[in-house]
């Protein structure tokens, strides 16, 4: 099989003719496909509906420590909710604060408190001329928007299959005092689905930051979000590694049940050292009268423990897995060996990352839109929304139905081919 | 009847002897009473339990605009939730954002966004040397803690039965550009239970602030929290008044259902002009993936409209009213005409405000503690926790049972008398 680059102008132009005709046919169908966000599909949410049966007007509303969950109090979460989340994150309940419905808010608040009040007694970032964050990329656009919002300078760190380029991370963190944080999605990373290797985690835990207010923002969003029961990535537990390394305060870990129970109606958590949590609670005492404990109670009574959460995830993945497999099979069948794209084969998480020929990502996303499909904006996976190679595209297969997914992938492949041909023809 | 001040040393000392004996008896009982916080009583929360029956595994989870409430999206709340809250606040749905479980967080966030990013394009407060807030006092301690947390200078404004001293408010707001806000609880104020008069509201709406980023923080926490069906205060709707006055962007109004449905598990809202809401949403877009829409749906389906909310409130007030009446009767019977205390007689809200002889509040609260009862810390109702006259005490009758309330009030009255005698004897 020839790669596109090996083909002659004539061959490419002929192919373009055929593909364009097919594209016009699809376009005429007036599709409305959406592969832009990592949203659970309705069928997936259906599997969590029994959660709504757990509490009713007759229920005992007391937490195990006697707290009336319908009243004020218990700012940092129910003891049993801390235990549940601790099991999920493989850490200790005393390392956990369980909060409201969104871990993104916890991340925003952590950065915001650092900007206005400084971290654990350090200078507030708003008083500093330079504050920088390291941003492994491709990464999660909502992370980058938080740091951009606060005017924090973002430095792109290349991703590898083992996690961020740790030589570069160590260099920046250990030499530059203005580097205050790094965004990480350590398991089934967004968008590549990579899981940090044990060595990467250990190198993180052993960082010797130049800034004493440097923290790792460890967004463990996909901690139990496996696609398979028998093939799963494993991630070394970071808080214990930090303790071992004599760096107990190095990490803020975040998680939620948004992609376990209901998206935006689950519970979220931050896990960290006692010292960091003390600092966080100082702000919480002013900011809130406490989280929705009724929803915490609902989750705890329904899921009970780690096994309960994992059982829910297996229901979810039974629905997501075929979509991932379909996309990956089609990509393999239609694009492998053509030299116009590489993609990841994740075992969990919500995304597949696609790298097109350099300079083609924006054009592919635009072409897909023309054909009736919304993709995540090209560049979104990079700080400031700018992918220097204009190559990365995030594919989110979870939301559409299997049938829509097939249509969507067909269109995507067509657009990749068309845009790549144009690019190559330009360069011949 | 003689006032305490008119009594002789001998009379006072004799009385002290008797009262001390009674105090020691009560102390020996080892009571554990709590009149410190405005918490709903368990029986009150029981009346809201049917709310938990509204949604179950079989429920239709679509909002009226087709949004699946179990999934991400709709950052500013369900349309029907906006309508419900708008009815409660007597404003328009387009003026409302419905958010998570706590209006305190919305207030904190509003101040925090102003500190880091400025209000609607104005200079961020963290870049200014002086930022001041007016604090009508006695007032709500959690308000004052928010401004104190951000290092904002607080200026005490005396309260009258018609609201804050508006001459002083106008002077500060219109002459001092560093005055950026004022905390208000306009209806059944915390702790006095006063409702701002129409003239006060109109003077607020017609302020001509020196600072273009000055805003009124209108915490309408007790908007429908009446104790009686037939005797109710009414409050002029501020947003409409501001529009009439050509000052549409002057107010951020806050509210929640925490003291309607469940404390800490209700829904909260901010109401303001389109321009202010646009500004607020700009931060929200970064901070959150959206509120818990399932809980919003639950509230809307159960309460339906303003009448539904009011019906819930009448169930609540049937339980709170007797407690208020008991306290007020006992105070009247035991303290009226003695010259050692004045108190308010609110028609709604959660508190009674008690003014002791100057210099006695701290000692009374300490004496009550010795006798087995926790009260809100003396001074808490003033900025920085310092009541310059050491006179104001906040009484929160909602949480204890009627029987406990009787014990508590008996002890309170005893302590007021004992401490007042000591004070007067010092001065003879």
């Amino acid at each position: 099989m020839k790669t596109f680059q090996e083909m002659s102008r004539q061959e490419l132009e002929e192919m373009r003719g055929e593909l364009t005709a097919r594209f016009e046919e699809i376009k005429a169908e007036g599709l409305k496909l959406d592969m832009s966000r990592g949203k659970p599909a309705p069928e997936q949410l259906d599997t969590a509906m029994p959660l709504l049966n757990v509490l009713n007007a007759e229920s005992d509303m007391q937490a195990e420590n006697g707290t009336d969950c319908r009243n004020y109090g218990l700012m940092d979460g129910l003891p049993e909710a801390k235990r549940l989340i601790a099991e999920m994150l493989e850490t200790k309940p005393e390392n956990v604060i369980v909060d409201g419905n969104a871990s993104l808010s916890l991340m925003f608040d952590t950065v915001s408190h650092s900007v206005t009040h400084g971290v654990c007694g350090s200078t507030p970032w708003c008083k500093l001329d330079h504050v920088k964050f390291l941003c492994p990329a491709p990464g999660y656009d909502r992370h980058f928007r938080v740091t951009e919002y606060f005017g924090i300078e973002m430095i792109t760190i290349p991703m590898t299959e083992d996690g961020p380029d740790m030589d570069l991370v160590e260099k920046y963190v250990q030499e530059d005092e203005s580097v205050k944080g790094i965004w990480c999605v350590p398991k089934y990373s967004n968008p590549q689905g990579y899981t940090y290797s044990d060595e990467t985690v250990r190198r993180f835990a052993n960082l010797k930051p130049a800034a004493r207010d440097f923290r790792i923002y460890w967004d463990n969003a996909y901690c139990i979000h496996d696609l398979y029961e028998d093939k799963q990535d494993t991630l070394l537990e970071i808080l214990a590694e930090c303790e071992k390394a004599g760096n107990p305060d190095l990490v803020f870990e975040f998680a939620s049940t948004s992609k376990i129970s209901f998206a935006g109606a689950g519970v979220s958590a931050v896990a960290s050292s006692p010292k960091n949590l003390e600092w966080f609670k100082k702000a919480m005492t002013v900011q809130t009268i406490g989280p929705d404990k009724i929803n915490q109670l609902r989750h705890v009574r329904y899921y009970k423990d780690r096994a309960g959460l994992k059982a829910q995830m297996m229901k979810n993945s039974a629905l997501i897995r075929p979509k991932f497999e379909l996309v990956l099979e089609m990509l393999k069948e239609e694009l492998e060996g053509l030299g116009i794209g590489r993609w990841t084969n994740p075992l969990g998480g919500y995304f597949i990352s696609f790298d097109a020929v350099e300079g083609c990502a924006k054009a592919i996303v635009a072409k897909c839109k023309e054909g009736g499909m919304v993709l995540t904006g090209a560049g979104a996976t990079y700080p400031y929304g700018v992918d220097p190679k204009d190559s990365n595209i995030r594919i989110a297969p979870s939301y559409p139905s299997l049938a829509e997914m097939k249509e969507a992938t067909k269109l995507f492949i067509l657009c990749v081919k068309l845009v790549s041909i144009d690019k190559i023809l330009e360069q011949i």
Side-chain angles (χ1 to χ4, degrees), chain A residues 14 52 112 121 150 162 168 191 196-197 202 233 261 290 302 351:
Chain A
E14 258 174 46
L52 296 179
S112 184
F150 285 103
D162 291 324
L168 214 52
Y196 293 11
S197 70
R202 289 207 183 91
D233 288 353
S261 56
Y302 184 58
F351 303 102

Side-chain angles (χ1 to χ4, degrees), chain A residues 79-155:
Chain A
E80 52 266 61
K82 290 185 187 187
R83 205 166 53 229
L84 179 68
I85 299 292
E87 284 190 20
M88 182 172 90
L89 296 176
E90 302 177 273
T91 185
K92 293 170 281 183
E94 58 266 36
N95 286 336
V96 175
I97 291 175
V98 186
D99 195 52
N101 71 317
S103 59
L104 182 65
S105 305
L106 284 171
M107 294 180 230
F108 180 97
D109 287 350
T110 307
V111 173
S112 184
H113 298 331
S114 305
V115 168
T116 58
H117 287 76
V119 184
C120 298
S122 292
T123 309
W125 296 350
C126 67
K127 304 286 181 204
L128 300 175
D129 290 330
H130 297 287
V131 176
K132 300 174 192 159
F133 257 60
L134 306 184
C135 299
Y140 179 35
D141 54 347
R142 302 296 298 253
H143 286 164
F144 304 154
R145 278 170 76 187
V146 170
T147 25
E148 185 171 8
Y149 178 77
F150 285 103
I152 293 169
E153 188 188 327
M154 295 185 281
I155 298 164

Side-chain angles (χ1 to χ4, degrees), chain A residues 54-80:
Chain A
V54 171
L55 297 180
N56 59 49
E58 314 303 323
S59 298
D60 170 15
M61 298 300 284
Q62 288 203 350
E64 61 183 29
N65 67 357
T67 299
D68 186 339
C69 294
R70 307 167 304 173
N71 218 328
Y72 293 121
L74 264 196
M75 187 188 66
D76 55 351
L78 301 182
E80 52 266 61

Side-chain angles (χ1 to χ4, degrees), chain A residues 137-138 156 340-342 353-367 375-383 385-394 412 415-416 419-420 423 426-427:
Chain A
T156 300
I340 56 172
R342 286 173 303 118
S353 179
F354 185 90
D355 284 321
V357 171
E358 283 191 27
C360 287
K362 270 193 191 147
I364 291 168
V365 170
K367 194 81 189 166
L375 285 169
T376 309
T381 54
Y382 279 79
V386 180
D387 173 1
K389 294 184 178 165
D390 185 23
S391 162
N392 188 251
I393 295 171
R394 185 177 84 164
F412 176 74
C415 294
V416 168
V419 171
S420 303
K423 191 59 155 187
E426 265 176 34
Q427 293 167 341

